[in-house]
Amino acid sequence: MKRFPRGAWSVTLLVAAAWVLLATGARAEAEAKGKSVGKGATRTLKGEVVDTGCYMGHEARGQKHKECAAKCIANGMPMGLLTEGGELYLITQNHDNLDAYNQCKDLAAQFVEITGPVFSRHGMKSVQADAVKPVAAPAAK
């Protein structure tokens, strides 16, 4: 049986402690920047329900795209929430209650308020639809 060289245990413990400190610091930094790590922070976001395929492909949105968006979503295209600030969130379902997510499917091209946990992973943002309600569109600028 091989043994660790003299002092190897202390080096191993130092390295492990450094990793713990780095991980804790990275988590605190991510949370300070508003990025979700682990369990998402519940927020309420307002924006337009878009089908991600047409929006990402050719920035299609709004009332003139409503019929197409509804058809794309009905055929399985993922939905997104486009905020007034131009941020796009993937709308995901609450696995315990699909009601709000399914309601979003009928609100293509409409402005809504979605409440639920918000996550950010590798540059992609999502909001879990725990509650949704239609809201008035923002005033034109």
Side-chain angles (χ1 to χ4, degrees):
M1 174 162 89
K2 290 188 176 186
R3 293 180 158 225
F4 275 107
R6 184 177 206 85
W9 284 110
S10 59
V11 171
T12 303
L13 287 174
L14 273 171
V15 170
W19 276 107
V20 169
L21 287 173
L22 285 172
T24 304
R27 181 181 188 93
E29 182 180 345
E31 288 174 350
K33 291 181 178 178
K35 294 182 180 174
S36 171
V37 177
K39 187 173 180 177
T42 298
R43 290 181 46 201
T44 298
L45 301 173
K46 292 180 184 178
E48 179 185 339
V49 176
V50 297
D51 76 277
T52 57
C54 291
Y55 179 75
M56 293 301 292
H58 50 276
E59 209 172 346
R61 55 184 287 241
Q63 289 301 308
K64 63 183 177 191
H65 184 69
K66 182 176 181 167
E67 189 176 317
C68 179
K71 185 176 181 180
C72 288
I73 290 169
N75 286 325
M77 182 62 66
M79 295 178 285
L81 182 72
L82 181 63
T83 68
E84 190 176 3
E87 292 181 294
L88 182 64
Y89 290 81
L90 177 69
I91 300 172
T92 61
Q93 62 190 10
N94 177 330
H95 290 87
D96 296 325
N97 184 349
L98 298 171
D99 293 345
Y101 181 80
N102 287 330
Q103 188 180 356
C104 287
K105 292 178 182 181
D106 296 328
L107 298 171
Q110 294 183 46
F111 283 83
V112 299
E113 186 176 271
I114 296 178
T115 301
V118 173
F119 298 93
S120 178
R121 301 270 188 265
H122 303 286
M124 184 168 199
K125 298 176 184 178
S126 69
V127 57
Q128 177 181 297
D130 286 348
V132 63
K133 67 178 182 179
V135 295
K141 293 180 180 178

